[in-house]
Amino acid sequence: GTGDVSNNYSTSAYVSNTSFEALKSNSLGRRNLIINGAMEVWQRGTSQTTSGDYAADRFWMANASSAARDSDAPSGFTYSTKLTYNGSVMSLGQPIELPATGKQGQLVSGQTVTLSYYAKVDTGTESITTGIKFRDSKFSATNEAAFTSSNFTATWTETWTRYTHSFTIPSINSTNVVAGLEIGNIDRTAYITGVQLELGDTATPFEYRSYGEELAL
């Protein structure tokens, strides 16, 4: 008939709870400001050893003896990036390109963004830090503007866990071209995947995109 179906039937009559959660996640698409957050695209090869270079597409690493694709991953993911410790504090990061030089676009000053990711270490526990900074280039500290956070630290364990951190967006400088995300101060072999950065103070389910779309991005 012509009646409003929503007035007569419950959504749960058509979809299981699990499917409904998936539908809600998919309906919130294009939330993730990170490209290749599931560590699926590796155009430069599946392992690299040069500090400052890219391993998984868009992700640079610092000071690991290697950053390599690994099949050890939490449920729902195929790969992680494994950072192998070699005596120096390690980092993993991604420069998020801004719409134009000195233009912060949707990263509006005073608003909140939330970082989430899955991580674990080979042995023991590890205290890490996270940070985001508007920068002139991915490693340049000239004219940088740091995002502020009251929960920028975490303690990783031997079990895959999803961690979240919220940041307040600063005012950009006129020469900045990226918002540089860094997960750092890692002092033991670690695994990371499912990296997501989104507007708001809540970490929503990871936004899955197809391999082809991640590759195009």
Side-chain angles (χ1 to χ4, degrees):
T2 59
D4 182 352
V5 173
S6 65
N7 289 332
N8 300 292
Y9 301 96
S10 166
T11 305
S12 60
Y14 294 94
V15 225
S16 70
N17 287 339
T18 301
S19 299
F20 186 51
E21 288 303 317
L23 286 171
K24 287 199 299 182
S25 174
N26 290 338
S27 71
L28 295 172
R30 303 304 177 273
R31 291 163 286 125
N32 196 358
L33 301 177
I34 296 295
I35 296 173
N36 197 33
M39 310 293 179
E40 292 186 344
V41 185
W42 296 71
Q43 293 185 87
R44 297 167 179 81
T46 55
S47 180
Q48 69 98 344
T49 59
T50 303
S51 182
D53 281 359
Y54 291 88
D57 277 34
R58 304 296 298 175
F59 285 95
W60 55 262
M61 76 84 169
N63 300 328
S65 63
S66 68
R69 189 178 72 183
D70 202 281
S71 58
D72 190 341
S75 177
F77 294 88
T78 305
Y79 299 117
S80 65
T81 288
K82 178 181 180 180
L83 298 175
T84 300
Y85 183 63
N86 192 32
S88 299
V89 176
M90 305 181 297
S91 299
L92 186 75
Q94 182 168 140
I96 301 163
E97 296 179 3
L98 300 175
T101 301
K103 303 296 183 182
Q104 53 198 97
Q106 62 183 313
L107 295 174
V108 177
S109 176
Q111 292 192 0
T112 302
V113 289
T114 296
L115 168 68
S116 57
Y117 58 87
Y118 294 84
K120 73 170 197 171
V121 291
D122 261 353
T123 58
T125 62
E126 179 63 14
S127 297
I128 64 91
T129 61
T130 60
I132 309 171
K133 297 176 181 179
F134 285 131
R135 283 185 156 180
D136 292 354
S137 65
K138 66 178 181 178
F139 292 143
S140 172
T142 303
N143 298 324
E144 71 180 12
F147 292 46
T148 57
S149 174
S150 60
N151 69 328
F152 62 93
T153 63
T155 300
W156 296 352
T157 70
E158 297 175 30
T159 302
W160 279 111
T161 304
R162 194 184 196 203
Y163 299 92
T164 64
H165 310 267
S166 291
F167 298 84
T168 300
I169 304 169
S171 296
I172 200 170
N173 290 304
S174 62
T175 55
N176 297 156
V177 297
V178 297
L181 166 67
E182 180 174 340
I183 302 171
N185 288 327
I186 307 167
D187 278 320
R188 64 188 65 221
T189 295
Y191 306 77
I192 306 170
T193 195
V195 183
Q196 181 156 287
L197 184 68
E198 57 193 307
L199 298 175
D201 58 8
T202 302
T204 62
F206 182 78
E207 178 190 335
Y208 290 95
R209 296 189 287 242
S210 70
Y211 180 93
E213 186 172 2
E214 294 287 12
L215 183 61
L217 289 171

